[in-house]
Amino acid sequence: GNSVTQMEGPVTLSEEAFLTINCTYTATGYPSLFWYVQYPGEGLQLLLKATKADDKGSNKGFEATYRKETTSFHLEKGSVQVSDSAVYFCALSFSGGYNKLIFGAGTRLAVHP
Amino acid sequence: GAVVSQHPSRVICKSGTSVKIECRSLDFQATTMFWYRQFPKQSLMLMATSNEGSKATYEQGVEKDKFLINHASLTLSTLTVTSAHPEDSSFYICSAQSLGVRVAGDNEQFFGPGTRLTVL
């Protein structure tokens, strides 16, 4: 079946540290891949996406590259801020859109000053 | 823009009672709304997809008589947990979708903040 696996959290970093949150997927076919972020008390927000192999999604300093050969979509940021503290969800979907999103378990990031 | 609200944010009820959760798109009309359930430290699991004016489509393993979904208007969907039991305690999240809300031609889902249901 189709599934998404994320690294377990929490991830605790100091401000300006480099961030990587690993995400791998299992899928029959070629899905679109997403990263969502959930700040405390708010709903999930789309952070970035990639719709085909080798695409790179980027937003707010975050990047992720769709790697078909390793079935991965790791999230990276070169220098995190306290305001990046949130829960990050990796997800996949088929048919080019956002229907029937399949989520990973989420990774909590805590950034300290 | 593209704000989705849920009400209530938190509810505690006795076993055997029914609980209604509302999901509203505040500044756009949603052709489709989704209901998810999230267990602690687990991923969001899609429960059902609803389109305005038609019956919801439930995912495999979700009891449609247990989780009643009504999508009566383009801005409101409700999830009713009927005869709730402690195993129904969970975090319920809705999302709303419509073409071109934020990006032309895009079909992004916008998520509500969730409702924490505790059944005693």
Side-chain angles (χ1 to χ4, degrees):
Chain A
N2 303 310
S3 65
V4 176
T5 302
Q6 289 181 236
M7 63 188 288
E8 283 193 32
V11 173
T12 304
L13 294 173
S14 298
E15 208 164 22
E16 298 183 4
F18 184 85
L19 168 72
T20 301
I21 300 178
N22 290 337
C23 171
T24 56
Y25 67 90
T26 302
T28 52
Y30 302 103
S32 295
L33 301 174
F34 307 84
W35 276 101
Y36 283 83
V37 58
Q38 186 176 31
Y39 299 104
E42 299 182 20
L44 276 74
Q45 302 172 25
L46 178 64
L47 180 60
L48 53 84
K49 67 172 183 176
T51 57
K52 61 182 188 297
D54 300 326
D55 267 3
K56 178 188 283 188
S58 61
N59 186 25
K60 299 181 181 180
F62 290 89
E63 292 183 340
T65 302
Y66 191 140
R67 301 283 188 203
K68 191 176 74 171
E69 62 277 11
T70 54
T71 61
S72 65
F73 193 54
H74 304 321
L75 182 68
E76 296 182 337
K77 185 173 185 182
S79 176
V80 293
Q81 305 300 312
V82 173
S83 57
D84 293 326
S85 298
V87 181
Y88 292 82
F89 292 89
C90 186
L92 67 81
S93 175
F94 286 96
S95 61
Y98 298 81
N99 293 332
K100 302 190 77 165
L101 286 162
I102 297 170
F103 287 92
T107 302
R108 183 174 298 278
L109 170 65
V111 181
H112 298 291
Chain B
V3 178
V4 176
S5 70
Q6 281 185 242
H7 178 79
S9 58
R10 200 179 280 270
V11 58
I12 300 172
C13 69
K14 292 182 179 179
S15 187
T17 60
S18 294
V19 174
K20 181 185 283 189
I21 302 170
E22 292 186 348
C23 176
R24 292 181 186 272
S25 56
L26 298 184
D27 50 5
F28 68 100
Q29 294 185 322
T31 51
T32 305
M33 286 186 170
F34 302 85
W35 286 96
Y36 296 85
R37 181 173 179 177
Q38 184 180 26
F39 292 99
K41 297 185 179 180
Q42 295 188 33
S43 58
L44 282 74
M45 302 296 295
L46 180 64
M47 299 174 66
T49 303
S50 74
N51 293 295
E52 185 263 340
S54 60
K55 289 185 179 180
T57 303
Y58 290 80
E59 294 299 300
Q60 193 172 13
V62 177
E63 300 175 59
K64 58 182 68 175
D65 294 331
K66 173 75 168 177
F67 299 99
L68 300 179
I69 292 172
N70 184 285
H71 192 164
S73 78
L74 286 171
T75 59
L76 174 64
S77 176
T78 60
L79 167 68
T80 301
V81 183
T82 61
S83 187
H85 288 94
E87 58 266 27
D88 299 322
S89 298
S90 194
F91 195 57
Y92 293 88
I93 300 172
C94 74
S95 71
Q97 178 185 65
S98 196
L99 196 62
V101 172
R102 190 166 68 133
V103 177
D106 213 28
N107 210 18
E108 183 177 348
Q109 287 186 37
F110 298 94
F111 287 81
T115 297
R116 171 80 57 196
L117 170 63
T118 302
V119 185
L120 303 176

